[in-house]
C-alpha cells in the first residue's frame, strides 16, 4: 500500500465460496459372466447410473452404481440373450486446490459426471466364459465452505465526483446523429 493510501483499511468478510476443486478420469475393466458361453458380442451399454458425493480425507469420494447390459449370441450364433449385471464402485477424487482458511464444519461437497460411464470396448475373455467390458468415466468435484476474504476499504466513503469519467469526447460531437436510425432492443 502506498503512503497516499494509508487512509485505507482492511476488512475481513466471511462468505461461502468454492474452497476446493478436483477432476478425475478413469478407465476400468469389468468382467461379466453370462449364463451361456458367448459366441459373439452384439452390443454392450450402460444404464441407470446413480451416484452421490461425500467428503473423505483430502478429497471427495463418489459412491455409485450402474447396470451393464450385454447382448450376445451363443450356441454357435444360433441363440441370443442379454446378460445384466449391476456394478458398484467407489471413486476417490483428490482436490487439486484447497483453501486452507475455510471452516471445515461448513463443508458441502458435490460431484458432476462430466462423462457418464460409457462402454468403449467389449470382448470375450480368453477362456470363453465371460465378457470383458472397458468403461470410461469422468467426474468433476467441488467443495463449498465458509471462508474469509480480505477487502480494502476507504473509511471516508465514496465520493460521487469520482464517478464522472472523461472519455475525451467534445461536447456536441454526436449532435448530427439521426435518432431514427438507432435500434431499440425488443427484449
Amino acid at each position: 500500500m502506498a503512503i497516499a493510501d494509508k487512509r485505507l483499511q482492511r476488512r475481513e468478510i466471511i462468505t461461502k465460496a468454492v474452497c476446493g476443486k478436483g477432476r478425475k478420469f478413469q478407465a476400468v475393466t469389468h468382467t461379466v459372466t453370462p449364463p451361456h458361453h458367448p459366441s459373439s458380442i452384439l452390443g454392450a451399454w450402460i444404464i441407470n447410473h446413480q451416484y452421490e458425493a461425500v467428503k473423505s480425507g483430502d478429497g471427495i469420494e463418489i459412491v455409485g452404481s450402474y447396470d451393464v447390459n450385454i447382448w450376445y449370441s451363443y450356441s454357435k450364433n444360433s441363440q441370443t440373450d442379454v446378460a445384466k449385471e449391476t456394478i458398484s464402485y467407489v471413486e476417490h477424487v483428490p482436490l487439486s486446490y484447497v483453501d486452507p482458511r475455510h471452516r471445515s464444519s461448513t463443508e458441502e461437497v458435490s460431484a458432476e459426471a462430466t462423462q457418464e460411464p460409457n462402454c468403449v470396448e467389449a470382448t470375450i475373455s480368453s477362456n470363453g466364459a465371460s465378457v470383458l467390458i472397458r468403461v470410461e468415466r469422468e467426474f468433476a468435484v467441488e467443495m463449498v465452505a465458509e471462508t474469509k476474504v480480505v477487502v480494502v476499504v476507504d473509511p471516508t466513503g465514496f465520493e460521487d465526483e469520482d464517478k464522472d469519467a472523461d472519455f475525451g469526447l467534445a461536447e456536441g460531437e454526436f449532435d448530427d446523429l439521426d435518432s431514427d436510425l438507432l435500434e431499440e432492443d425488443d427484449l
Side-chain angles (χ1 to χ4, degrees):
M1 211 177 292
I3 294 174
D5 295 333
K6 282 193 172 192
R7 64 185 174 140
L8 301 178
Q9 299 175 353
R10 295 185 317 172
R11 296 281 192 278
E12 292 181 335
I13 298 173
I14 297 174
T15 186
K16 273 191 168 183
V18 176
C19 295
K21 283 188 169 190
R23 178 178 287 264
K24 186 173 185 180
F25 170 82
Q26 189 165 33
V28 294
T29 301
H30 303 296
T31 301
V32 176
T33 304
H36 311 283
H37 285 226
S39 301
S40 60
I41 307 300
L42 305 174
W45 62 98
I46 294 174
I47 58 174
N48 300 326
H49 182 219
Q50 299 175 340
Y51 62 92
E52 62 182 45
V54 295
K55 180 78 171 80
S56 172
D58 63 344
I60 293 175
E61 207 166 71
I62 299 169
V63 180
S65 67
Y66 46 78
D67 296 333
V68 174
N69 291 289
I70 302 168
W71 182 33
Y72 67 101
S73 65
Y74 61 97
S75 296
K76 298 182 181 179
N77 293 322
S78 62
Q79 303 287 321
T80 64
D81 197 1
V82 175
K84 300 176 184 177
E85 188 167 316
T86 300
I87 304 291
S88 299
Y89 67 91
V90 177
E91 187 84 53
H92 181 80
V93 181
L95 296 173
S96 58
Y97 159 77
V98 177
D99 177 358
R101 296 174 42 154
H102 77 277
R103 292 182 174 177
S104 59
S105 63
T106 62
E107 293 175 348
E108 299 170 16
V109 297
S110 64
E112 178 185 358
T114 53
Q115 178 179 333
E116 290 287 338
N118 182 31
C119 177
V120 293
E121 185 177 11
T123 57
I124 298 172
S125 66
S126 58
N127 65 10
S130 57
V131 178
L132 304 175
I133 304 291
R134 190 165 158 254
V135 175
E136 292 181 346
R137 59 185 185 228
E138 183 178 48
F139 290 96
V141 297
E142 280 188 350
M143 177 181 66
V144 174
E146 289 183 1
T147 188
K148 286 183 182 177
V149 294
V150 177
V151 296
V152 177
V153 295
D154 184 349
T156 62
F158 186 78
E159 298 176 16
D160 287 338
E161 301 90 46
D162 292 341
K163 281 185 170 179
D164 295 333
D166 182 14
F167 295 105
L169 301 173
E171 192 168 313
E173 200 164 307
F174 296 107
D175 289 345
D176 295 338
L177 288 177
D178 184 0
S179 62
D180 293 335
L181 298 176
L182 298 175
E183 294 182 24
E184 292 185 27
D185 280 337
D186 293 332
L187 302 176

